[in-house]
Amino acid sequence: MKNIIYDCDPGHDDAMALFEALAHPEEINILGISTVGGNQKLENVTKNAQHILSAAHSKIELASGQSQPLVKEFYPATNAHGDSGMDGHDFPAEDANYPISSLNAVTFLHKKIQSADDLVTIVATGPLTNIALLLKTFPEVKDSIDKIIIMGGGLDHGNITKGAEFNIWTDPEAAKIVFTSGIPMVMAGLDVTERAYFTEDELQELDKKGPISAIAYDLLSYYYKSGKQFGFKNSPVHDLCAMAYLIDPTLFTGHIYSVDVVTDDSEARGMTIADKRKLPENKNSTLVLLEVDRERYRDLFFQAIEKLDQEN
Ligand code: BDR
Ligand code: CA
C-alpha cells in the first residue's frame, strides 16, 4: 500500500487522474488532496475537485492552497480548459458542498506527511507552488517523502511556449525548488504525455455506460475538441500519466537525468533541461519518462472508470 498525497489543478486531465486514483484503494492510500491555482483560478479548481470527489462519493480530505505563483503573474489555461477550468459537464450544484479543510494546503500537507505511518509519495499535476512552499517551510518533510511524481516539463519541446510546458512555465521558481530538492523525482513531461492519448473511437466507449463514465465522456470530449487548437489529432491525457506511473510503473520507460529549470527572464523561461553529461557532480535524481505502452495505459484507465461506475 502506497501512501500518497495528490496536488492538482482540475483540469480535465487532473480529474481523470483523480478518478484513476480513487479506483485503486487496495494499492493507494490517499492521505489528502490539495489544489493549486493553475488551469484556472484557485476557487474554480477547488470547486472542480469538490465535484469529482462528490461524484465518486469519496471521503478523502481536500485542502486548497496557493492561488498565485511564487514570483510570476498568474495566467490560467482558459483556452485549453474553459472558464470553469473543467468545462463540458454540468455537475449538480450541491456537489460543491464537499468539505474543504480550514488549513491551507501547505500546512495540511505537512500534517498529513508527518503523521503518516510510512514514507509518502507526492503526485503533483499542476504548478508546483504548494510543493515548493511545503519543502521550503517545513524542510524536515524531505525525510518522509519517498518520491515526487509530476506531470510537467518536457525535454524536447513545450506547449505554452516553444520550449516550456504549462505547469512549469506557470511557476518556474517553484519548479526549480522541487527539481533541485534532492528528492527522487519522476517527470511525466510532454515527451511521454503526448504519446498517452485516447482516440475519438475509444472515447465513444465511455458514452452512457454509468455515472462516472458519463462525466469522463463529457470532460474528455471537451478536452479532445480543445486539443485540436494545439494540432493534436488525438487527445493526450497528460496528468493521467503521473497517476498511471504510480499504479503501474511497468507501463513506462525512461531515463534518469539531472534536470533543472530555466528561471531567467528569457524566452527559455520555464524550460526543463536535462544534463545528459556523465559528470560526477551531476545529481541524477529525475526519472524522465519517454515511452508508454499506450494500449495498457488506456486499459488501466477504462477498467478504473468501469469499477467506479459499478460502485457509484
Ligand atoms: C498540463 O497543463 C494543464 O493544462 C494540464 O492539466 C496538465 O497538467 C499540460 O501541459
Ligand atoms: Ca493539471
Side-chain angles (χ1 to χ4, degrees):
M1 181 75 110
K2 295 166 193 154
N3 286 328
I4 75 153
I5 54 173
Y6 181 36
D7 187 72
C8 54
D9 63 338
H12 298 78
D13 48 343
D14 304 79
M16 299 308 126
L18 185 47
F19 278 146
E20 186 155 291
L22 294 172
H24 287 86
E26 288 83 21
E27 293 113 302
I28 305 177
N29 179 26
I30 308 175
L31 303 173
I33 293 167
S34 51
T35 55
V36 61
N39 282 326
Q40 262 304 345
K41 53 190 182 186
L42 182 67
E43 65 183 83
N44 291 25
V45 299
T46 304
K47 190 189 260 191
N48 296 339
Q50 289 177 296
H51 283 310
I52 294 296
L53 291 167
S54 295
H57 295 101
S58 174
K59 297 270 184 292
I60 297 166
E61 281 181 75
L62 172 68
S64 76
Q66 298 309 114
S67 61
Q68 301 283 324
L70 294 183
V71 176
K72 200 168 160 276
E73 213 179 316
F74 176 66
Y75 295 101
T78 309
N79 57 345
H81 298 272
D83 288 333
S84 72
M86 210 170 72
D87 281 10
H89 182 82
D90 289 329
F91 289 92
E94 63 270 22
D95 278 9
N97 295 333
Y98 194 92
I100 301 175
S101 170
S102 57
L103 300 176
N104 173 280
V106 176
T107 317
F108 170 84
L109 296 177
H110 175 238
K111 287 203 162 173
K112 290 289 175 197
I113 292 172
Q114 292 306 83
S115 58
D117 54 6
D118 202 352
L119 293 181
V120 175
T121 296
I122 295 177
V123 181
T125 61
L128 290 164
T129 322
N130 288 344
I131 308 305
L133 274 177
L134 172 74
L135 300 180
K136 281 289 177 195
T137 314
F138 304 106
E140 70 277 13
V141 293
K142 288 185 189 173
D143 294 338
S144 306
I145 297 172
D146 179 40
K147 58 176 154 318
I148 301 177
I149 306 173
I150 68 152
M151 188 283 135
L155 300 189
D156 181 67
H157 60 278
N159 56 6
I160 187 81
T161 70
K162 59 189 168 194
E165 181 279 330
F166 175 79
N167 288 337
I168 305 298
W169 174 87
T170 296
D171 197 341
E173 282 74 16
K176 191 177 185 73
I177 289 169
V178 176
F179 271 100
T180 57
S181 66
I183 299 170
M185 301 266 300
V186 179
M187 171 177 143
L190 298 174
D191 312 289
V192 72
T193 66
E194 290 184 356
R195 297 167 187 264
Y197 56 81
F198 298 146
T199 67
E200 194 168 17
D201 286 349
E202 287 166 349
L203 293 184
Q204 289 305 325
E205 288 173 35
L206 291 169
D207 194 15
K208 301 191 187 67
K209 280 219 171 139
I212 303 299
S213 51
I215 297 170
Y217 176 73
D218 285 353
L219 294 181
L220 287 174
S221 298
Y222 180 96
Y223 203 42
Y224 182 88
K225 287 189 197 108
S226 105
K228 296 285 175 210
Q229 69 189 294
F230 306 110
F232 292 127
K233 180 166 178 287
N234 291 303
S235 183
V237 191
H238 304 282
D239 294 340
L240 190 55
C241 287
M243 202 58 78
Y245 177 85
L246 174 82
I247 295 164
D248 185 356
T250 71
L251 297 175
F252 298 90
T253 54
H255 211 292
I256 300 174
Y257 294 119
S258 174
V259 176
D260 205 344
V261 178
V262 179
T263 52
D264 63 21
D265 209 5
S266 70
E267 64 175 351
R269 186 162 164 78
M271 281 179 70
T272 42
I273 297 189
D275 191 340
K276 298 182 179 176
R277 296 173 298 174
K278 300 188 191 330
L279 301 176
E281 65 268 29
N282 272 351
K283 289 198 216 92
N284 293 330
S285 60
T286 300
L287 169 61
V288 180
L289 303 182
L290 296 169
E291 301 281 346
V292 58
D293 182 334
R294 196 191 74 82
E295 277 75 29
R296 285 175 55 221
Y297 169 82
R298 175 201 59 204
D299 293 349
L300 182 71
F301 176 71
F302 277 62
Q303 283 155 13
I305 297 296
E306 195 176 330
K307 182 164 182 276
L308 292 181
D309 270 344
Q310 285 159 7
E311 291 169 3
N312 289 278

